[in-house]
Amino acid sequence: QVQLGESGGGLVQAGGSLRLSCAASGRTFSIYDMAWFRQAPGKEREFVAAIRWSGDITYYPDSVKGRFTISRDNAKNTVYLQMNSLKPEDTAVYYCAAEPLGRWPPLKYDYWGQGTQVTVSS
């Protein structure tokens, strides 16, 4: 029902910054809660950030709090992840996810992108 496509990943030195983008299809982007997850080789998928459909509420784990910022532009059907002060531990494939608005925070996400690689060198 909705397709997601991530972009903006790449190679960056420790302490640097990247901004990831996730573009969604359709005209109903504003009714979805959005999130970013990441998965490093050999590790389980990890929650990174979430933003409410209205854009006024966000949620982060301690591992990225203060360094990462999730935002959205509903007019462009796009959600962003600004990543600052990057560490080698942030190296992973980053995935965008969407869930129709409901419980906050969502317990699941029905739609996922293909992922974009972020590599942080030391």
Side-chain angles (χ1 to χ4, degrees), residues 21-102:
S21 298
C22 174
S25 66
R27 301 179 181 179
T28 58
F29 175 72
S30 63
I31 72 171
Y32 289 91
D33 296 331
M34 303 294 296
W36 288 95
F37 289 77
R38 66 187 182 187
Q39 188 166 23
K43 296 185 177 181
E44 294 187 345
R45 184 182 298 167
E46 177 188 16
F47 169 76
V48 174
I51 186 166
R52 188 67 164 151
W53 64 271
S54 56
D56 59 343
I57 305 175
T58 57
Y59 184 67
Y60 307 91
D62 289 341
S63 59
V64 307
K65 192 176 300 181
R67 299 188 299 121
F68 291 10
T69 302
I70 187 171
S71 62
R72 66 191 299 161
D73 185 340
N74 288 349
K76 296 183 177 180
N77 284 6
T78 302
V79 63
Y80 305 94
L81 184 68
Q82 178 67 46
M83 304 184 293
N84 299 325
S85 301
L86 283 163
K87 306 174 181 179
E89 307 93 271
D90 297 318
T91 296
V93 176
Y94 283 70
Y95 297 92
C96 178
E99 174 69 11
L101 66 91

